[in-house]
Amino acid sequence: MALNIFTIAPDADFAAELVKAVLAGFPLADGAAAPPLERYTILVPNRRTAQALREAFLLQAATPALLLPRIR
C-alpha cells in the first residue's frame, strides 16, 4: 500500500499551493472521483491561516460561486 505524500516547498505560498492541490483532486488516486469540495475539512493552527486559505480558495476558484470546505 503506497502512501500519498504531498509536500510544499518552504519558499512557496502555503495557502495557494494547498488550494491548488485540493482543487486538482489531492489526495485522490488517479481516476478516482473527487468528493464535493464542501465535504472536505482542513485543519489549521490558527485563524490567520484559516483566513488565508479562504482567500486563496476564492482567488483560485474557477467560478465565483463556490462552497468552501470546512476550515478549522
Side-chain angles (χ1 to χ4, degrees), residues 1-70:
M1 181 174 169
L3 297 175
N4 291 329
I5 299 175
F6 179 74
T7 60
I8 297 175
D11 61 340
D13 179 8
F14 175 79
E17 292 297 317
L18 181 60
V19 168
K20 262 194 271 187
V22 169
L23 292 175
F26 169 81
L28 303 174
D30 291 335
L37 194 57
E38 65 269 12
R39 296 194 64 199
Y40 282 87
T41 299
I42 300 174
L43 303 175
V44 295
N46 55 44
R47 290 181 188 182
R48 183 184 302 172
T49 306
Q51 182 62 33
L53 278 175
R54 282 186 201 95
E55 291 173 5
F57 270 108
L58 296 174
L59 288 174
Q60 293 187 22
T63 63
L66 180 70
L67 290 175
L68 295 179
R70 278 172 256 130

